[in-house]
Amino acid sequence: MTVKKTILCVDDEHSLSIQKVLLETRGYRVVTCNTAEEAFATFKLGGVDLVLSDADLSDAPATELAKRTKALSPEVPVALLSAQKWAFHTDAPVDLLLRKGTYAPVELLEHIRLLLVKRRGPRRVASVAPEHRDQAC
């Protein structure tokens, strides 16, 4: 059995419910938060494989959340979703920036899958032992 990847979603209540259903139906474990402070406190507990956040949080810019999470765990991918153009001109260490309303849910899922694969690295193919190589042909 494969271990479910954990995605920390940070957004308003309505968007979180949509993201949660979308991600959980695809086999991800979802942890939700409404503020950057709550999200960072949750992130520090560990076990998060990817952070997916709205760029416009109520208590702090998500770019600050991205900087803090990357400082703690640079290997964890951070994806920001924004309705504003300004988010796309940021120096924050994010792995993905998407403009809300410009992508289909399947595209978001594919981006998330690719970010998690990059974090894990390529799967290693089991090599055939040299003494069995000739027998396999």
Side-chain angles (χ1 to χ4, degrees), residues 2-21:
T2 61
V3 177
K4 289 184 177 183
K5 297 293 183 186
T6 300
I7 299 176
L8 174 61
C9 291
V10 191
D11 209 332
D12 62 61
E13 287 296 325
H14 177 70
S15 296
L16 282 176
S17 62
I18 294 169
Q19 291 171 2
K20 186 172 172 102
V21 168

Side-chain angles (χ1 to χ4, degrees), residues 38-114:
E38 184 183 343
F40 190 66
T42 301
F43 184 80
K44 288 193 306 188
L45 297 174
V48 173
D49 296 297
L50 184 135
V51 177
L52 177 64
S53 178
D54 182 31
D56 305 313
L57 300 174
S58 61
D59 64 333
T63 53
E64 185 60 32
L65 174 63
K67 289 176 186 175
R68 291 174 68 188
T69 57
K70 286 291 192 175
L72 191 61
S73 296
E75 74 283 358
V76 175
V78 176
L80 296 183
L81 308 175
S82 177
Q84 307 295 324
K85 286 185 179 182
W86 66 264
F88 297 93
H89 302 287
T90 182
D91 61 346
V94 298
D95 299 282
L96 174 67
L97 285 168
L98 286 177
R99 188 152 184 207
K100 285 185 174 182
T102 62
Y103 57 87
V106 71
E107 291 176 81
L108 176 61
L109 289 167
E110 182 63 10
H111 283 297
I112 288 171
R113 187 189 71 76
L114 290 173

